Amino acid sequence: VSRGYREDGYFPEAFVNLLAMLGWNPGNDQELFTLDELVQAFSLERVVKSGARFNADKAKWFNKEYLRKKSVAELTALYMPVLESKGVTGFSREYVEKVVTLIQERATFVADFWDIASYLFVAPKTFVEKDAAKFWKEENYTLALKVADFILAFEGEFTKENLEGPLEEYIRSNEWPMGKVMNCLRLALVGASSGLGIADIVTLIGKDEFARRIEYIKATL
């Protein structure tokens, strides 16, 4: 089966834009053009005579820029089949749109969404070894589990806007190391110390799923 740039996740319009810029320039710093803009701006006089060189990193840059311009609804429609291919079902379109909204700026291809935030759909069962060695220490996870209890006992409307401030205030008022505690808690939720903010994660996955992940990590101690 043949494979090309479309199969690798490039948007056709991004690739056309890239190809136009390989041997032509508009005479200014503009690089992003719609097809209509290219038709209007293109002229043979500005086609360079020297050989054009394809730059893979620049191709990815074009795709990333086009991905950023797309609507959340369009990206969600493109991402749903990716989730299905991973065996992930049962999530509402509204939920997937919330995820896409949070991670759109971080991705180059739609397929990246899974690599960036699979943990918002499936609980991690393994943990990045170097992150665990750095953050999963008794003096950290003892405090992180207290923070987890605070989150589970939170009585206000369970949204990021309502939780984020009180959560940070709780940690600061106890004079606990914010970075170590948050990274330790993120490790339990994500499987790595990198990822979205804790308030984003826990309010998306919900208290029940949050509790399950905390119980799982406790069982591994």
Side-chain angles (χ1 to χ4, degrees):
V1 179
S2 62
R3 183 178 180 87
Y5 288 100
R6 185 191 297 272
E7 289 76 18
D8 284 340
Y10 286 89
F11 299 123
E13 60 271 34
F15 213 75
V16 168
N17 195 158
L18 163 69
L19 292 176
M21 301 299 290
L22 281 179
W24 168 84
N25 73 78
N28 55 37
D29 293 333
Q30 184 177 351
E31 292 186 275
L32 298 174
F33 291 84
T34 66
L35 185 56
D36 287 340
E37 288 172 339
L38 280 173
V39 170
Q40 293 297 319
F42 188 85
S43 66
L44 289 174
E45 290 77 14
R46 300 207 65 85
V47 175
V48 297
K49 295 181 180 180
S50 59
R53 179 178 296 177
F54 180 83
N55 185 317
D57 290 335
K58 193 65 175 182
K60 291 178 180 178
W61 177 85
F62 272 101
N63 210 72
K64 186 181 183 74
E65 292 301 312
Y66 272 80
L67 186 148
R68 286 177 171 177
K69 290 183 172 188
K70 289 189 178 293
S71 70
V72 170
E74 184 178 358
L75 292 174
T76 298
L78 293 170
Y79 188 40
M80 295 294 276
V82 176
L83 290 173
E84 291 174 10
S85 74
K86 301 292 184 181
V88 174
T89 58
F91 290 90
S92 69
R93 192 180 191 86
E94 180 184 14
Y95 181 86
V96 180
E97 285 186 348
K98 288 179 180 178
V99 173
V100 170
T101 298
L102 288 171
I103 64 177
Q104 180 175 359
E105 292 291 317
R106 302 178 178 215
T108 299
F109 303 101
V110 171
D112 292 344
F113 291 165
W114 178 257
D115 297 326
I116 294 169
S118 61
Y119 58 86
L120 295 175
F121 300 95
V122 179
K125 297 302 180 186
T126 59
F127 304 88
V128 175
E129 189 173 339
K130 65 179 181 63
D131 292 347
K134 183 176 181 180
F135 294 109
W136 201 249
K137 300 174 181 178
E138 186 173 359
E139 65 268 25
N140 295 337
Y141 69 66
T142 299
L143 302 180
L145 292 176
K146 290 181 179 179
V147 173
D149 288 338
F150 171 85
I151 292 171
L152 290 170
F154 187 77
E155 295 183 348
E157 185 181 359
F158 204 58
T159 64
K160 175 194 175 180
E161 291 73 23
N162 288 343
L163 177 63
E164 193 167 42
L167 176 60
E168 291 187 6
E169 177 57 29
Y170 175 69
I171 296 172
R172 293 188 192 283
S173 65
N174 283 290
E175 298 183 347
W176 294 339
M178 180 72 71
K180 291 181 179 179
V181 172
M182 288 299 209
N183 279 316
C184 190
L185 191 56
R186 189 178 291 106
L187 187 64
L189 300 176
V190 175
S193 61
S194 60
L196 295 172
I198 296 299
D200 280 314
I201 298 170
V202 299
T203 54
L204 267 172
I205 66 175
K207 277 189 181 182
D208 290 344
E209 176 61 20
F210 174 66
R212 281 191 287 270
R213 296 190 189 191
I214 293 301
E215 288 306 311
Y216 179 83
I217 200 69
K218 283 181 179 178
T220 68
L221 293 176

mmCIF file of all heavy atoms in Angstrom, residues 7 14 17 19 30 49 54 67 89 103 112 143 145 161 175 181 192 195 201 204 214 219 221:
data_model
loop_
_atom_site.group_PDB
_atom_site.id
_atom_site.type_symbol
_atom_site.label_atom_id
_atom_site.label_comp_id
_atom_site.label_asym_id
_atom_site.label_seq_id
_atom_site.Cartn_x
_atom_site.Cartn_y
_atom_site.Cartn_z
ATOM 1 N N GLU A 7 -1.304 10.580 4.237
ATOM 2 C CA GLU A 7 -1.373 9.497 5.214
ATOM 3 C C GLU A 7 -0.537 9.801 6.455
ATOM 4 O O GLU A 7 -0.803 9.281 7.542
ATOM 5 C CB GLU A 7 -0.912 8.177 4.575
ATOM 6 C CG GLU A 7 -1.877 7.592 3.558
ATOM 7 C CD GLU A 7 -1.847 8.320 2.218
ATOM 8 O OE1 GLU A 7 -0.849 9.068 1.946
ATOM 9 O OE2 GLU A 7 -2.798 8.161 1.435
ATOM 10 N N ALA A 14 -2.070 22.878 3.651
ATOM 11 C CA ALA A 14 -0.761 23.220 4.225
ATOM 12 C C ALA A 14 0.349 22.790 3.284
ATOM 13 O O ALA A 14 1.348 23.504 3.101
ATOM 14 C CB ALA A 14 -0.592 22.546 5.584
ATOM 15 N N ASN A 17 0.607 25.063 0.252
ATOM 16 C CA ASN A 17 1.275 26.302 0.678
ATOM 17 C C ASN A 17 2.785 26.096 0.725
ATOM 18 O O ASN A 17 3.568 26.909 0.215
ATOM 19 C CB ASN A 17 0.738 26.707 2.042
ATOM 20 C CG ASN A 17 1.059 28.133 2.450
ATOM 21 O OD1 ASN A 17 0.377 28.713 3.296
ATOM 22 N ND2 ASN A 17 2.094 28.725 1.884
ATOM 23 N N LEU A 19 4.594 23.789 -0.881
ATOM 24 C CA LEU A 19 5.139 23.574 -2.222
ATOM 25 C C LEU A 19 5.291 24.889 -2.986
ATOM 26 O O LEU A 19 6.271 25.096 -3.705
ATOM 27 C CB LEU A 19 4.249 22.603 -3.002
ATOM 28 C CG LEU A 19 4.223 21.156 -2.509
ATOM 29 C CD1 LEU A 19 3.232 20.340 -3.315
ATOM 30 C CD2 LEU A 19 5.616 20.530 -2.573
ATOM 31 N N GLN A 30 5.600 37.279 4.245
ATOM 32 C CA GLN A 30 4.428 36.419 4.385
ATOM 33 C C GLN A 30 4.739 35.003 3.908
ATOM 34 O O GLN A 30 5.314 34.797 2.840
ATOM 35 C CB GLN A 30 3.248 36.985 3.596
ATOM 36 C CG GLN A 30 1.956 36.168 3.773
ATOM 37 C CD GLN A 30 0.766 36.772 3.047
ATOM 38 O OE1 GLN A 30 0.862 37.894 2.533
ATOM 39 N NE2 GLN A 30 -0.339 36.053 2.999
ATOM 40 N N LYS A 49 15.490 30.620 -9.730
ATOM 41 C CA LYS A 49 16.100 29.768 -10.743
ATOM 42 C C LYS A 49 16.923 28.644 -10.120
ATOM 43 O O LYS A 49 17.172 27.620 -10.756
ATOM 44 C CB LYS A 49 16.973 30.617 -11.656
ATOM 45 C CG LYS A 49 16.180 31.631 -12.484
ATOM 46 C CD LYS A 49 17.092 32.437 -13.379
ATOM 47 C CE LYS A 49 16.281 33.449 -14.200
ATOM 48 N NZ LYS A 49 17.146 34.265 -15.087
ATOM 49 N N PHE A 54 13.668 20.710 -0.178
ATOM 50 C CA PHE A 54 12.567 20.379 0.731
ATOM 51 C C PHE A 54 13.102 20.293 2.159
ATOM 52 O O PHE A 54 14.106 19.634 2.423
ATOM 53 C CB PHE A 54 11.925 19.052 0.338
ATOM 54 C CG PHE A 54 10.789 18.639 1.217
ATOM 55 C CD1 PHE A 54 9.509 19.133 1.001
ATOM 56 C CD2 PHE A 54 10.985 17.765 2.277
ATOM 57 C CE1 PHE A 54 8.449 18.767 1.812
ATOM 58 C CE2 PHE A 54 9.942 17.390 3.097
ATOM 59 C CZ PHE A 54 8.673 17.892 2.863
ATOM 60 N N LEU A 67 -3.034 23.687 11.510
ATOM 61 C CA LEU A 67 -3.807 23.019 12.556
ATOM 62 C C LEU A 67 -4.320 24.040 13.569
ATOM 63 O O LEU A 67 -5.465 23.958 14.027
ATOM 64 C CB LEU A 67 -2.946 21.950 13.244
ATOM 65 C CG LEU A 67 -3.646 21.049 14.263
ATOM 66 C CD1 LEU A 67 -2.998 19.657 14.251
ATOM 67 C CD2 LEU A 67 -3.594 21.613 15.667
ATOM 68 N N THR A 89 -14.006 4.360 23.206
ATOM 69 C CA THR A 89 -15.392 4.712 22.899
ATOM 70 C C THR A 89 -16.077 5.181 24.185
ATOM 71 O O THR A 89 -15.527 5.064 25.281
ATOM 72 C CB THR A 89 -16.160 3.511 22.323
ATOM 73 O OG1 THR A 89 -16.123 2.422 23.271
ATOM 74 C CG2 THR A 89 -15.548 3.042 21.006
ATOM 75 N N ILE A 103 -5.442 21.111 23.964
ATOM 76 C CA ILE A 103 -4.170 20.618 23.424
ATOM 77 C C ILE A 103 -3.891 21.045 21.994
ATOM 78 O O ILE A 103 -2.824 20.736 21.458
ATOM 79 C CB ILE A 103 -4.101 19.073 23.520
ATOM 80 C CG1 ILE A 103 -5.186 18.420 22.643
ATOM 81 C CG2 ILE A 103 -4.216 18.625 24.967
ATOM 82 C CD1 ILE A 103 -5.131 16.901 22.638
ATOM 83 N N ASP A 112 -1.155 13.568 16.814
ATOM 84 C CA ASP A 112 -0.402 13.949 18.025
ATOM 85 C C ASP A 112 -1.312 14.073 19.238
ATOM 86 O O ASP A 112 -0.841 13.970 20.379
ATOM 87 C CB ASP A 112 0.312 15.288 17.812
ATOM 88 C CG ASP A 112 1.429 15.215 16.790
ATOM 89 O OD1 ASP A 112 1.858 14.090 16.462
ATOM 90 O OD2 ASP A 112 1.862 16.284 16.324
ATOM 91 N N LEU A 143 2.618 14.137 50.648
ATOM 92 C CA LEU A 143 1.921 15.418 50.498
ATOM 93 C C LEU A 143 0.941 15.373 49.319
ATOM 94 O O LEU A 143 -0.167 15.904 49.409
ATOM 95 C CB LEU A 143 2.933 16.544 50.297
ATOM 96 C CG LEU A 143 3.980 16.726 51.410
ATOM 97 C CD1 LEU A 143 4.917 17.881 51.074
ATOM 98 C CD2 LEU A 143 3.303 16.965 52.755
ATOM 99 N N LEU A 145 -0.734 12.910 48.199
ATOM 100 C CA LEU A 145 -1.943 12.169 48.565
ATOM 101 C C LEU A 145 -2.851 13.007 49.470
ATOM 102 O O LEU A 145 -4.079 12.862 49.432
ATOM 103 C CB LEU A 145 -1.570 10.853 49.241
ATOM 104 C CG LEU A 145 -0.887 9.824 48.322
ATOM 105 C CD1 LEU A 145 -0.477 8.586 49.101
ATOM 106 C CD2 LEU A 145 -1.789 9.453 47.140
ATOM 107 N N GLU A 161 -12.092 26.523 36.989
ATOM 108 C CA GLU A 161 -12.132 27.898 37.502
ATOM 109 C C GLU A 161 -12.364 27.912 39.012
ATOM 110 O O GLU A 161 -11.805 28.755 39.726
ATOM 111 C CB GLU A 161 -13.238 28.675 36.795
ATOM 112 C CG GLU A 161 -12.985 28.956 35.324
ATOM 113 C CD GLU A 161 -13.121 27.730 34.439
ATOM 114 O OE1 GLU A 161 -13.820 26.766 34.844
ATOM 115 O OE2 GLU A 161 -12.537 27.718 33.343
ATOM 116 N N GLU A 175 2.790 25.537 53.067
ATOM 117 C CA GLU A 175 4.199 25.750 52.751
ATOM 118 C C GLU A 175 4.857 24.490 52.195
ATOM 119 O O GLU A 175 6.004 24.159 52.501
ATOM 120 C CB GLU A 175 4.957 26.257 53.988
ATOM 121 C CG GLU A 175 4.439 27.606 54.475
ATOM 122 C CD GLU A 175 5.242 28.145 55.652
ATOM 123 O OE1 GLU A 175 6.037 27.389 56.254
ATOM 124 O OE2 GLU A 175 5.076 29.342 55.952
ATOM 125 N N VAL A 181 5.080 18.673 44.605
ATOM 126 C CA VAL A 181 3.770 18.087 44.907
ATOM 127 C C VAL A 181 2.937 17.926 43.637
ATOM 128 O O VAL A 181 2.346 16.868 43.386
ATOM 129 C CB VAL A 181 3.022 18.957 45.937
ATOM 130 C CG1 VAL A 181 1.582 18.465 46.105
ATOM 131 C CG2 VAL A 181 3.741 18.918 47.284
ATOM 132 N N ALA A 192 3.458 10.514 33.722
ATOM 133 C CA ALA A 192 4.666 11.303 33.493
ATOM 134 C C ALA A 192 4.515 12.616 34.256
ATOM 135 O O ALA A 192 3.425 12.955 34.719
ATOM 136 C CB ALA A 192 4.866 11.573 32.006
ATOM 137 N N GLY A 195 2.445 17.400 31.274
ATOM 138 C CA GLY A 195 1.039 17.296 30.917
ATOM 139 C C GLY A 195 0.302 18.563 31.283
ATOM 140 O O GLY A 195 0.905 19.563 31.673
ATOM 141 N N ILE A 201 -6.863 18.576 34.446
ATOM 142 C CA ILE A 201 -6.970 17.117 34.358
ATOM 143 C C ILE A 201 -8.099 16.580 35.223
ATOM 144 O O ILE A 201 -8.977 15.841 34.751
ATOM 145 C CB ILE A 201 -5.641 16.444 34.756
ATOM 146 C CG1 ILE A 201 -4.518 16.844 33.801
ATOM 147 C CG2 ILE A 201 -5.797 14.917 34.769
ATOM 148 C CD1 ILE A 201 -3.137 16.420 34.258
ATOM 149 N N LEU A 204 -11.642 17.445 34.187
ATOM 150 C CA LEU A 204 -12.041 16.771 32.952
ATOM 151 C C LEU A 204 -12.390 15.307 33.215
ATOM 152 O O LEU A 204 -13.452 14.831 32.797
ATOM 153 C CB LEU A 204 -10.921 16.858 31.917
ATOM 154 C CG LEU A 204 -10.974 18.022 30.935
ATOM 155 C CD1 LEU A 204 -9.702 18.071 30.108
ATOM 156 C CD2 LEU A 204 -12.180 17.909 30.010
ATOM 157 N N ILE A 214 -5.934 7.448 41.865
ATOM 158 C CA ILE A 214 -5.202 7.596 43.132
ATOM 159 C C ILE A 214 -5.122 6.247 43.843
ATOM 160 O O ILE A 214 -4.064 5.882 44.390
ATOM 161 C CB ILE A 214 -5.883 8.649 44.032
ATOM 162 C CG1 ILE A 214 -5.765 10.048 43.406
ATOM 163 C CG2 ILE A 214 -5.265 8.628 45.431
ATOM 164 C CD1 ILE A 214 -4.333 10.514 43.171
ATOM 165 N N ALA A 219 -1.754 1.529 45.390
ATOM 166 C CA ALA A 219 -1.511 0.079 45.405
ATOM 167 C C ALA A 219 -0.120 -0.276 44.884
ATOM 168 O O ALA A 219 0.373 -1.382 45.124
ATOM 169 C CB ALA A 219 -2.565 -0.624 44.540
ATOM 170 N N LEU A 221 2.583 1.541 45.659
ATOM 171 C CA LEU A 221 3.601 2.038 46.591
ATOM 172 C C LEU A 221 4.290 0.893 47.344
ATOM 173 O O LEU A 221 3.668 -0.108 47.653
ATOM 174 C CB LEU A 221 2.943 2.978 47.609
ATOM 175 C CG LEU A 221 2.383 4.310 47.057
ATOM 176 C CD1 LEU A 221 1.668 5.083 48.157
ATOM 177 C CD2 LEU A 221 3.513 5.129 46.467
#
